[in-house]
Every structure is written in C-alpha cells, then in structure tokens.
Amino acid sequence: MKRLALVLLLAACSSEGKIAQYTLDTIPEASRISIPYATVEIRTISLPLYAESEEIAVLAEDGSIRTNSEQLWADMPERSMTEQLAGILTEVSGATVAAEPWPFESYPEARIDVRVRRLLADEDGPLEFAGTWYASADLRGRNRAESFSFTVPFAGEGLTARAEAHTAAARLLAEDIATKLR
C-alpha cells in the first residue's frame, strides 16, 4: 500500500509544476562576408547579471525585470550565446571560429570579446540587444572596438519567439562583426 501511495504521489508531482526549458534556435543561414582572418576565437560573452541566469528574464510593465523559475534556458546563456555566435560567424565568414578556450595548438589570428549592456524584452518583444564588441588581431595589428544596438521583433508569441529573437540577434551581431572586420 505504501508503494502504491508513493507511485501516485510521484505521478501527481511529475504532472504539475513541470519546468519548461528553451534552447536558442539552430544557426540560421546568413550572407557570406569574407574577413581577413582564417582563425578567430570568440571569448565568452559577458552578459548583464539578469541575463546570465538560466531563468528567462522578462521586462515587466513597471520597468522591473522579472524571472520565472519554471521557465529556463536549456543551457547557461553565456555558453549558449558564445557557441551560437561562433557557429554563425563561421557560416558567415568561412573562417574557423571557435569559442574559448581555443581548441587548437596554434593561436587564433583574431579574438573577439563581446560585452552586452542590454539583452531584454517584455512578454511580446521586441528584444533589445546592445553592447560593444572588441577585436584584437596580433598578426595584423588591427584592433577595434565597435558598439552595436539591435531591436529584434518577435516573430510569434511566447518563449519560443523569444528564443528565435535571440538567434536573430546573434546573426545580426555576427554579420556586424564580419562586415566591420573586412
């Protein structure tokens, strides 16, 4: 009897309060933009505290930032966004791009450091994505700092639309980096 009660209790718990997890969308196709580097390292993206959490941050009507412990990113945002940016920049530029730590024996020709000031949207969007990216290229002596600011509308509703907007923002950033590195 105790065993049956335990099974029923576990079944009841598993059907209520399920935690939803969301991943960033697959890497979208992008225009090819050649860059003058064959190898590029993307340093781990620096995010504001509210965006570092696995809990999805939403801008409330009163201007506060709210999270829900039942709506989570499926991966840590810094890691996920860094890997996604590296993948999209690879597709855009044709270069070998990898997130830090650099996985190859030789050093990369360039390093990109992205520092995000704002990565936030209300329930229905749009996503505001702003910050600065820095490129250092020891071999060619080309160092630069560029600000970016993108507003990405949600193409749909809910958290899936939010994840798709994050992917679109990463694509815009990769294209911005590739265009300005040329």
Side-chain angles (χ1 to χ4, degrees), residues 25-44:
D25 205 2
T26 57
I27 297 169
E29 289 189 31
S31 304
R32 185 66 87 134
I33 304 168
S34 64
I35 62 173
Y37 309 106
T39 56
V40 179
E41 177 184 45
I42 304 290
R43 303 212 43 202
T44 300

Side-chain angles (χ1 to χ4, degrees), residues 63-141:
S64 65
I65 299 170
R66 309 283 175 141
T67 61
N68 181 337
S69 63
E70 294 181 0
Q71 297 174 336
L72 308 174
W73 293 116
D75 195 357
M76 293 309 297
E78 305 95 341
R79 186 187 112 65
S80 182
M81 289 186 69
T82 303
E83 291 290 340
Q84 186 177 50
L85 181 61
I88 295 170
L89 191 55
T90 295
E91 291 298 316
V92 167
S93 69
T96 299
V97 183
E100 75 172 336
W102 185 247
F104 305 106
E105 282 190 38
S106 62
Y107 292 108
E109 291 181 12
R111 285 191 174 91
I112 306 292
D113 185 355
V114 178
R115 299 178 189 178
V116 177
R117 276 190 316 280
R118 188 163 179 89
L119 181 62
L120 196 57
D122 63 23
E123 288 288 339
D124 302 318
L127 177 68
E128 298 173 21
F129 183 43
T132 306
W133 60 266
Y134 304 87
S136 59
D138 296 333
L139 295 179
R140 293 189 171 84

